[in-house]
Amino acid sequence: MTDATSTISPPALQVRHLGKQVPLPSGPLTILTDVGFDIHAGQTVAILGASGSGKSTLLSLLAGLDTPSHGSVSLFGEPLSTLDEDGRARLRAERVGFVFQSFQLLPALTALENVMLPLELRGDAAPQSAARDILQRVGLGERLDHYPRQLSGGEQQRVAIARAFVTRPALLFADEPTGNLDTATGDSIIALLFELNAQAGTTLVLVTHDPALAARCERSLRLDGGRLVHA
């Protein structure tokens, strides 16, 4: 008889005893201390905390963009510590999407070209068709040939969201996605983000300082002074 536990999928994210220190002339600065949690596939989870609490550092460690001083992070059962920089980049390209506060669009590329880029880098067939489709879904079907400088902040973030979802990621990191937007525009962007996320069944990890935004997620992880105080 097969052990039932052998068929259980690993968490999308598994974090154990995670710590981060950076050296300073005055001595090491501790940013994160003994952080641990699991996030399961399909969950929407907010990482909540004040400025300086360690949220962005934690996000960088979860995504393999930075390496911890202590502890471990596993994505879909694969420990990031076993991968070199190229291996981590490959895992992100295949399974992870990002939405940033500052949009991170390439100014020399049109909206369509910005969304096509991750598909082209991955070697997908027919990237233009997929990019056109997702831009239509985020309401920018008439703005395909516009450059970022020709788009409003809200439109630029819609392009960024389209770029994040076009690769059909299993896990999406969103770092203060409304931080550079006015309240009304931010509300519409968050509605779009959660709508696309629900349709795709993506695991969403949302970094925010806004309790109202965190409340839209199924679960919140609160950081205070680099320590996890609520999970």
Side-chain angles (χ1 to χ4, degrees):
M1 180 186 242
T2 303
D3 183 353
T5 60
S6 65
T7 63
I8 298 175
S9 298
L13 269 168
Q14 187 175 66
V15 180
R16 294 292 181 266
H17 305 295
L18 197 65
K20 181 66 178 181
Q21 293 181 327
V22 294
L24 295 177
S26 57
L29 172 66
T30 298
I31 301 175
L32 293 171
T33 302
D34 199 29
V35 173
F37 54 84
D38 290 351
I39 295 176
H40 294 280
Q43 283 190 317
T44 57
V45 178
I47 297 175
L48 186 64
S51 178
S53 62
K55 303 187 305 296
S56 293
T57 298
L58 177 57
L59 185 69
S60 292
L61 295 174
L62 298 182
L65 297 169
D66 193 7
T67 55
S69 304
H70 313 284
S72 64
V73 176
S74 295
L75 261 62
F76 308 103
E78 188 159 11
L80 295 182
S81 61
T82 65
L83 302 174
D84 61 13
E85 189 172 342
D86 288 343
R88 294 194 300 272
R90 195 160 44 246
L91 181 61
R92 286 192 296 269
E94 292 171 354
R95 309 201 71 175
V96 179
F98 294 92
V99 177
F100 298 100
Q101 176 178 342
S102 56
F103 317 137
Q104 300 283 332
L105 301 178
L106 295 179
L109 300 183
T110 65
L112 180 63
E113 290 166 342
N114 265 284
V115 177
M116 288 170 58
L117 185 60
L119 298 176
E120 291 174 327
L121 293 174
R122 200 168 67 174
D124 285 23
Q128 186 173 123
S129 176
R132 284 178 177 275
D133 178 64
I134 190 71
L135 281 165
Q136 188 74 42
R137 289 173 62 192
V138 302
L140 293 177
E142 303 301 316
R143 310 283 271 170
L144 303 181
D145 297 325
H146 286 67
Y147 292 91
R149 66 180 180 276
Q150 299 171 312
L151 301 172
S152 69
E155 288 171 333
Q156 288 184 62
Q157 193 61 300
R158 286 174 181 267
V159 175
I161 289 172
R163 181 183 58 189
F165 278 104
V166 75
T167 59
R168 299 184 178 181
L171 174 63
L172 178 67
F173 293 111
D175 189 4
E176 299 280 10
T178 61
N180 284 339
L181 304 173
D182 62 73
T183 300
T185 303
D187 288 346
S188 69
I189 288 296
I190 288 301
L192 173 65
L193 180 65
F194 276 86
E195 177 187 347
L196 290 176
N197 193 75
Q199 291 171 357
T202 307
T203 306
L204 173 64
V205 179
L206 173 68
V207 170
T208 183
H209 66 277
D210 182 356
L213 179 51
R216 297 191 61 157
C217 295
E218 299 167 346
R219 179 180 165 210
S220 291
L221 307 173
R222 182 180 290 275
L223 285 174
D224 186 7
R227 292 183 179 272
L228 194 63
V229 296
H230 174 69

